[in-house]
């Protein structure tokens, strides 16, 4: 099968991440498997749009700067990128992350099987303080947008990929529509998520024989700012995840919407608590803190899910799945 042309979409929203954005683009342009194009989608920030357009006006390599054509938020930004992309595969990279040199090569290899409609990778945290906080459990690295303990290693089939390091065959969007708006990130507001989970479930429903993969050789390094190393953010993010899961379960049903979470909660997290308590007993730094953080994270997510479910039954916030006019 011919190697697919890959468009890379990077959604951006603030000039505060200027250096991060430049580093993200540079990492794409340095790939061993060259991207067809890089699309920078700016989320309703005219000053940043103009600055990036000037920065890449005469750049070597195809870099396009676009304004988010939909409502504020990450989902609409991604949909704007999908609509403009010309590649057979569309990859997404966070604006505060850098990809390793073979990132796109490993994505491309996954699409040798025509049933594969999505390939994700492994995201490693880069802590602003220089090291992981002693209390921060690896089982909850998803809180900071990274690959967490409990995901299987290698190239494996999964229910959903993780949005900041993911790729989709263009036909997936033709089958299932775009990312749902009203559920994902919106700048610095409450850190909701799960839009990629909901999309992946829709893709699998639209095409039951679809294969979705994670290849842990497709690595990116994601910056974790100091504010996200604090327990206050951890608590807020886990609660927001519960709210998001309630929206997803409302859309696709609890059986599918919580399928992976059940194993995670009943197997991965108890093992993490046991490890933390064992480390505490051996006087290793942070053991008790990690065990406590896991319990707090579970309670926070459960509380968010309960509140979100009650709101849903009362006709609370909904999200929309827009059709996407796919580019190319």
């Amino acid at each position: 099968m011919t190697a697919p042309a890959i468009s890379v979409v990077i959604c951006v929203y603030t000039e505060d991440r200027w250096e991060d954005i430049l580093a993200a683009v540079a990492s794409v342009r340095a790939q061993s498997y060259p991207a067809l194009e890089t699309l920078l989608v700016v989320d309703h920030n005219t000053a940043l749009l103009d600055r990036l357009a000037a920065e890449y006006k005469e750049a070597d390599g195809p870099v396009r700067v676009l304004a988010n054509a939909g409502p504020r938020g990450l989902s609409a930004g991604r949909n704007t990128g999908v609509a403009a992309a010309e590649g057979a595969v569309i990859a997404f990279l966070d604006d505060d992350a850098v990809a390793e040199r073979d990132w796109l090569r490993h994505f491309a290899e996954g699409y040798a099987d025509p049933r594969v409609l999505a390939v994700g990778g492994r995201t490693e945290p880069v802590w602003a303080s220089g090291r992981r906080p002693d209390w921060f459990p690896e089982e909850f690295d998803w809180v900071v947008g990274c690959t967490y303990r409990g995901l299987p290693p290698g190239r494996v089939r999964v229910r959903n990929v993780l949005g900041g390091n993911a790729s989709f065959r263009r036909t997936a969007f033709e089958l299932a529509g775009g990312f749902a708006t009203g559920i994902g990130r919106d700048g610095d507001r409450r850190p909701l998520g799960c839009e990629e989970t909901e999309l992946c479930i829709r893709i699998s429903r639209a095409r039951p024989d679809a294969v979705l993969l994670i290849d842990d050789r497709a690595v990116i390094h994601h910056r974790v700012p100091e504010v996200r190393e604090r327990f206050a953010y951890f608590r807020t993010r886990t609660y927001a995840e519960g709210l998001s899961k309630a929206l997803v379960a409302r859309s696709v049903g609890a059986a599918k919407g919580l399928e992976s979470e059940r194993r995670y909660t009943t197997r991965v997290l108890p093992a993490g608590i046991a490890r933390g308590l064992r480390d505490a007993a051996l006087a290793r730094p942070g053991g008790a803190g990690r065990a406590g953080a896991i319990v707090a994270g579970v309670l926070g997510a459960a509380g968010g899910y309960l509140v979100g479910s009650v709101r849903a039954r009362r006709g609370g916030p909904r999200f929309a799945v827009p059709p996407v006019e796919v580019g190319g």
Side-chain angles (χ1 to χ4, degrees), residues 20 115 253 269 326:
D20 292 329
R115 298 175 302 160
L269 295 186
V326 181

Side-chain angles (χ1 to χ4, degrees), residues 21-70:
I21 295 167
L22 299 187
V25 173
S27 75
V28 174
R29 295 167 73 182
Q31 290 294 300
S32 62
Y33 184 99
L36 175 67
E37 58 186 346
T38 302
L39 291 85
L40 288 169
V41 182
V42 183
D43 192 16
H44 298 273
N45 184 330
T46 303
L48 179 58
L49 179 73
D50 293 343
R51 188 177 179 188
L52 286 170
E55 177 73 22
Y56 291 107
K57 182 178 181 180
E58 299 179 0
D60 294 330
V63 178
R64 287 195 279 157
V65 180
L66 311 169
N68 179 2

Side-chain angles (χ1 to χ4, degrees), residues 144-168:
V144 292
C146 295
T147 300
Y148 55 91
R149 184 193 291 266
L151 287 177
R155 183 195 286 174
V156 293
R157 191 168 182 173
V158 293
R159 179 196 66 181
N160 63 275
V161 297
L162 305 180
N165 179 9
S167 64
F168 295 86

Side-chain angles (χ1 to χ4, degrees), residues 100-186:
E100 291 191 0
R101 180 170 169 76
D102 292 328
W103 177 60
L104 290 182
R105 181 175 300 281
H106 293 306
F107 277 175
E109 290 171 357
Y111 291 103
D113 181 344
R115 298 175 302 160
V116 173
L117 294 188
V119 183
R122 175 162 53 93
T123 302
E124 295 286 350
V126 180
W127 303 96
S129 62
R131 59 187 294 272
R132 172 186 296 275
D134 287 340
W135 63 269
F136 203 113
E138 292 182 22
E139 291 82 1
F140 276 81
D141 277 4
W142 56 263
V143 165
V144 292
C146 295
T147 300
Y148 55 91
R149 184 193 291 266
L151 287 177
R155 183 195 286 174
V156 293
R157 191 168 182 173
V158 293
R159 179 196 66 181
N160 63 275
V161 297
L162 305 180
N165 179 9
S167 64
F168 295 86
R169 207 183 287 274
R170 187 169 60 183
T171 53
F173 298 104
E174 295 170 350
L175 284 167
F179 289 93
T181 57
I183 187 173
R185 293 270 183 162
D186 181 359

